[in-house]
């Protein structure tokens, strides 16, 4: 794989482009869930303006009245081009893709293809809370293979989870988060190849959520799961939504390895009606023409990770924080503060700052909180100040 490093775009830092007053005019979940005196640093929305190519694509669609049903392969072609340039992955075959409404609904559809009711789905907690909710709502059974103390995949624990998952003779899947949310861990090529080897040995189907893939820190290489040896039977879900802040413009892609093409071909045709056509246009524009904006964003995230490290050292030295290799999420170990299992509740009630609650991420989440650092340096600084005030 010959991926390219982040480019220096010369574009301005998008985290410095929107004021707090303007952000409070937004009506999305981040800015409307809590009262106005709460500073929201929780759900995965970024405090940025949209990339100009995205704005242009959506504006032109509105002017044309181009608001019908999605069709065609332009989104998949844009993702394939981005993957080849960004990650050195030339194996994303457009003919082995399918449009799905969003990544989590795509996960559900992939799990329907490779498992049945009551079958186990292995997850690696602490992990994105909707993994638990969507899997159980689908009438599948959660099987945990917790991360190691270092925040990385524990292959021995994973193998034991696989062994137990298939012991009854049924089908089993592994819902892998890559890069991992909430820790920001980027799984290495060696780790992913080991997962693929175990999956082949035990007959477990790997479905991987790669929504945070474009959001790596400087010097960190993302490795697509389907690009490692032995992963031919895998299924991936990808989207531009996290990296370009497009959660409200629904669209994602399911990507099959060569050995999973027949499974993906069984996806009901009506699933492709779920994405927003305008969303598809926006995501296509982001992947094709929004890389300069993305590079400016990544530079801003690097700066915010450094800033958060310094702020915590100064104001909350009891909080342990290891800057993530990817995502814009910070996984904060608050156990030394003696705030109980849910420190986010204390920070909310006493400090009026909203973080994501650690226990919701499953095993290993007690005593932790997740902070969204995709905001301005000023808001990030105020957030940590409020957290520190909550302890006084």
């Amino acid at each position: 794989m010959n991926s390219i490093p982040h480019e220096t775009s010369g574009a301005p830092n998008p985290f410095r482009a929107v004021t707090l007053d303007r952000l409070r005019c937004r009506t999305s979940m981040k800015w409307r869930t809590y009262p106005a005196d709460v500073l929201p640093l929780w759900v995965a929305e970024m405090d940025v303006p949209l990339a100009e190519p995205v704005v242009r694509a959506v504006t032109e669609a509105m002017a044309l009245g181009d608001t019908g049903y999605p069709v065609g392969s332009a989104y998949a072609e844009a993702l394939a081009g981005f993957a080849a340039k960004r990650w050195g992955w030339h194996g994303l075959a457009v003919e082995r893709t399918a449009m799905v409404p969003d990544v989590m609904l795509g996960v559900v559809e992939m799990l329907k293809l490779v498992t049945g009711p009551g079958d186990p789905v292995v997850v690696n907690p602490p992990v994105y809370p909707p993994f638990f909710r969507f899997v159980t709502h689908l009438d599948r059974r959660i099987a945990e293979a917790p991360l190691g103390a270092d925040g990385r995949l524990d292959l021995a624990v994973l193998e034991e989870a696989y062994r137990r998952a298939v012991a009854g003779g049924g089908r089993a899947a592994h819902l892998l988060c890559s890069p991992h949310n909430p820790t920001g861990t980027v799984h290495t090529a060696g780790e992913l190849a080991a997962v693929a080897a175990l999956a082949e040995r035990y007959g477990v189907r790997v479905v991987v959520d790669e929504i945070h893939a474009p959001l790596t820190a400087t010097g960190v290489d993302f490795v697509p799961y389907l690009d490692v040896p032995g992963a031919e039977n895998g299924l991936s879900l990808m989207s531009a939504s996290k990296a370009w802040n497009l959660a409200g413009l629904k669209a994602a892609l399911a990507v099959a390895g060569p050995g999973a093409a027949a499974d993906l071909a069984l996806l009901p045709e009506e699933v492709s009606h779920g994405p927003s056509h305008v969303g598809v246009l926006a995501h296509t524009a982001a992947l094709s023409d929004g890389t300069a904006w993305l590079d400016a964003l990544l530079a801003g995230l690097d700066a915010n990770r450094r800033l958060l490290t310094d702020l915590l050292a100064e104001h909350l030295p009891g909080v342990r924080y290891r800057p993530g290799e990817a995502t814009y999420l910070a996984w904060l170990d608050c156990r030394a503060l003696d705030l109980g299992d849910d420190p986010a509740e204390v920070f909310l009630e006493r400090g009026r700052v909203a973080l994501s609650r650690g226990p919701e991420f499953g095993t290993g989440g007690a005593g932790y909180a997740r902070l969204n650092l995709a905001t301005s340096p000023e808001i990030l600084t105020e957030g940590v100040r409020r957290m520190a005030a909550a302890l006084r």
Side-chain angles (χ1 to χ4, degrees):
M1 292 177 289
N2 297 306
S3 58
I4 65 168
H6 302 164
E7 298 174 351
T8 302
S9 67
N13 182 347
F15 295 117
R16 295 185 176 276
V18 187
T19 65
L20 180 58
D21 286 345
R22 288 292 295 166
L23 290 168
R24 290 202 179 279
C25 293
R26 294 183 175 181
T27 60
S28 60
M29 181 183 289
K30 182 177 183 180
W31 294 97
R32 286 294 183 267
T33 297
Y34 293 99
D37 67 323
V38 172
L39 193 66
L41 296 176
W42 63 298
V43 74
E45 298 179 23
M46 294 194 288
D47 297 342
V48 293
L50 291 183
E52 178 54 35
V54 172
V55 174
R56 186 166 58 249
V58 172
T59 302
E60 289 176 357
M62 296 300 104
L64 285 170
D66 189 9
T67 54
Y69 298 105
V71 70
S73 60
Y75 187 7
E77 291 165 8
L79 177 60
F82 180 86
K85 182 177 180 182
R86 208 73 176 187
W87 308 319
W89 180 29
H90 298 275
L92 198 166
V94 171
E95 64 272 18
R96 293 199 306 272
T97 66
M99 283 192 291
V100 292
D102 58 31
V103 163
M104 282 311 303
L105 291 177
V107 163
V108 167
E109 295 298 336
M110 297 306 103
L111 290 176
K112 286 181 183 178
L113 294 176
V114 299
T115 64
D119 285 338
V121 177
V122 177
V123 300
N124 306 110
V127 73
Y128 184 49
F131 275 23
F132 301 100
R133 297 194 286 267
F134 277 79
V135 168
T136 54
H137 183 68
L138 184 60
D139 193 24
R140 272 45 169 186
R141 176 169 50 87
I142 290 287
E144 293 195 356
L147 300 177
D150 59 356
R152 307 200 72 87
L153 294 171
D154 186 322
L155 294 174
V157 170
L158 184 63
E159 180 169 13
E160 178 61 17
Y162 279 10
R163 186 189 66 77
R164 292 182 178 180
V166 301
R171 296 188 291 174
H174 177 192
L175 178 51
L176 177 66
C177 194
S178 178
H180 195 85
N181 174 4
T183 63
T185 301
V186 174
H187 308 307
T188 66
E191 289 169 331
L192 294 173
V195 169
L198 288 173
E200 178 66 22
R201 182 183 311 164
Y202 288 93
V204 173
R205 300 299 298 276
V206 177
V207 176
V208 55
D209 169 358
E210 296 182 311
I211 196 170
H212 289 277
L215 293 167
T216 53
T218 298
V220 178
D221 290 328
F222 168 75
V223 180
Y225 177 73
L226 298 181
D227 199 29
V228 302
E232 292 82 3
N233 290 327
L235 292 157
S236 169
L237 285 306
M238 290 187 163
S239 174
S241 65
K242 284 292 184 287
W244 282 271
N245 208 38
L246 303 176
L249 291 168
K250 293 284 190 179
L253 288 163
V255 186
D263 297 302
L264 190 62
L266 297 176
L267 188 70
E269 189 270 340
E270 59 267 23
V271 173
S272 68
H273 297 176
S276 158
H277 175 54
V278 177
V280 170
L281 296 176
H283 289 232
T284 302
L287 290 162
S288 298
D289 303 313
T291 53
W293 182 92
L294 176 64
D295 286 324
L297 179 98
L298 294 176
L301 289 176
D302 282 341
N304 278 4
R305 291 187 191 98
R306 293 190 295 269
L307 174 61
L308 180 59
T309 299
D310 292 342
L311 289 169
L312 292 173
E314 180 181 355
H315 299 288
L316 287 166
V319 174
R320 296 180 60 190
Y321 164 57
R322 179 188 304 159
E325 299 170 310
T327 81
Y328 48 75
L329 307 166
W331 189 231
L332 305 181
D333 182 352
C334 305
R335 290 175 294 178
L337 302 181
D338 294 324
L339 300 180
D341 287 349
D342 188 7
E345 178 65 21
V346 178
F347 293 132
L348 176 61
E349 294 303 318
R350 299 183 192 171
R352 309 308 286 163
V353 57
L355 309 181
S356 297
R357 302 173 185 274
E360 294 184 354
F361 292 81
T363 300
Y368 284 77
R370 193 191 73 178
L371 181 149
N372 177 351
L373 52 78
T375 189
S376 71
E378 293 76 17
I379 291 175
L380 185 57
T381 300
E382 173 64 9
V384 174
R385 187 197 68 77
R386 291 187 183 203
M387 292 167 65
L391 304 185
R392 292 198 286 267

